[in-house]
Amino acid sequence: DAKTTQPTSMDCAEGRAANLPCNHSTISGNEYVYWYRQIHSQGPQYIIHGLKNNETNEMASLIITEDRKSSTLILPHATLRDTAVYYCIVRARSHYTGTASKLTFGTGTRLQVTL
Amino acid sequence: DTEVTQTPKHLVMGMTNKKSLKCEQHMGHRAMYWYKQKAKKPPELMFVYSYEKLSINESVPSRFSPECPNSSLLNLHLHALQPEDSALYLCASSQDQNPGNYGYTFGSGTRLTVV
């Protein structure tokens, strides 16, 4: 799976949009971009994933550049409860059943939402 | 039920003890995972079970012994652990070994302290 690079930490004011970047310049054609977050002392939580089109769900939006070498997770109106470590993960989806897969976490971005 | 339940939440054990961590899900997921997370570090994969068979062992020491009695349960048996094994142990599940639209669902973890 391709390696990702994320800033170590970011701050965001409550109510503002939080834009978390991720660089994945070695991504290959069959690899998806996944985002998870981990709030202190809890298990990681799935947020969103995408291949090449922009995606939106009730939690966030994912913007993937046309060359797919980078992406941005957008939390449109950050709240204090969004303070967490956000992980960008690139991995391939296999179409073969019976093959095991791994979700490998990088160091992530520690997002601090402040009043 | 959309949760992964881990018990106990906290465990303190001596280096000569034998203990077990338990993980349960009732979402019909056929892949289950154990991760280990040290403080301020990302989760690290230990084991993957796919359709109740061990698919991946990330070279984990034999003092950690996983078991998958059925499709809903995953155990991690611990024996002769060292203080450096103290960590948060996370269980996760996914629909199959190639999670599609829903990613992995993580439990809240068991915080293990070896004394």
Side-chain angles (χ1 to χ4, degrees), chain B residues 31-64:
Chain B
M32 297 185 77
Y33 313 81
W34 281 115
Y35 282 80
K36 172 182 177 179
Q37 186 174 26
K38 302 283 278 185
K40 299 191 185 302
K41 298 289 187 183
E44 295 179 351
L45 182 67
M46 300 174 71
F47 302 104
V48 179
Y49 270 83
S50 178
Y51 291 85
E52 297 147 57
K53 289 185 171 25
L54 183 64
S55 294
I56 295 176
N57 176 341
E58 291 286 86
S59 302
V60 178
S62 60
R63 57 185 185 269
F64 296 92

Side-chain angles (χ1 to χ4, degrees), chain A residues 99-110:
Chain A
T99 58
S101 66
K102 301 194 273 191
L103 194 70
T104 303
F105 290 83
T107 52
T109 296
R110 186 171 299 276

Side-chain angles (χ1 to χ4, degrees), chain B residues 9 17 23 26 32-33 42 48 63 72-73 83 102 104-105 110:
Chain B
K9 292 196 183 307
N17 290 161
C23 173
H26 297 286
M32 297 185 77
Y33 313 81
V48 179
R63 57 185 185 269
S72 299
L73 282 175
Y102 307 102
Y104 288 35
T105 302
T110 294

Side-chain angles (χ1 to χ4, degrees), chain A residues 26-90:
Chain A
T26 60
I27 194 170
S28 58
N30 67 339
E31 289 183 314
Y32 286 69
V33 180
Y34 289 79
W35 283 84
Y36 285 76
R37 73 180 182 184
Q38 187 172 22
I39 295 170
H40 182 60
S41 296
Q42 297 183 21
Q45 177 190 24
Y46 166 81
I47 301 173
I48 199 167
H49 78 284
L51 181 62
K52 53 185 176 182
N53 297 322
N54 297 337
E55 302 287 345
T56 295
N57 63 21
E58 65 279 3
M59 289 182 68
S61 295
L62 174 60
I63 308 298
I64 302 174
T65 57
E66 193 168 341
D67 64 7
R68 303 207 324 122
K69 293 183 185 300
S70 66
S71 60
T72 301
L73 178 75
I74 301 172
L75 308 178
H77 305 287
T79 72
L80 296 177
R81 287 177 293 183
D82 293 320
T83 293
V85 178
Y86 287 77
Y87 296 102
C88 170
I89 301 167
V90 170

